[in-house]
Amino acid sequence: GFAVRARAGAPAAEMEANAAAAREAWRNEFLGVSPAANLVRAAIEDLAPRQGGVLIVGERGVGKQLVARLLHAGGARPGSVVVVDGAD
């Protein structure tokens, strides 16, 4: 999984080490070398450190939940990933 949590009151260095480990872990999970996969990878790296919300849309089975977990793990977002299934 990608849930890397620092203990309460952890030093900043420990928290950064945990975040770095999470960022490295996702690189092993996200597969693909096509130009489209590289665009998604670049978008994840660009958006992960930002604090705003991200809406991920796409067809069933394209990896939206994986992208959500990777965005969450690669940034400083508190709490858990929120996944909303809008399928009919």
Side-chain angles (χ1 to χ4, degrees):
F2 292 95
V4 177
R5 302 185 198 290
R7 61 184 168 76
E14 181 181 336
M15 292 173 61
E16 178 54 35
N18 287 341
R23 287 191 295 271
E24 185 60 32
W26 83 262
R27 288 185 176 90
N28 296 324
E29 178 107 9
F30 187 89
L31 306 177
V33 294
S34 71
N38 289 335
L39 285 173
V40 172
R41 189 176 287 108
I44 291 169
E45 289 177 351
D46 179 52
L47 293 170
R50 299 180 189 206
Q51 289 297 315
V54 177
L55 174 64
I56 304 167
V57 296
E59 296 178 16
R60 182 178 295 248
V62 297
K64 296 178 296 293
Q65 287 190 25
L66 172 62
V67 170
R69 288 195 324 267
L70 298 176
L71 282 168
H72 190 78
R77 291 173 174 83
S80 301
V81 175
V82 176
V83 177
V84 178
D85 184 0
D88 293 327

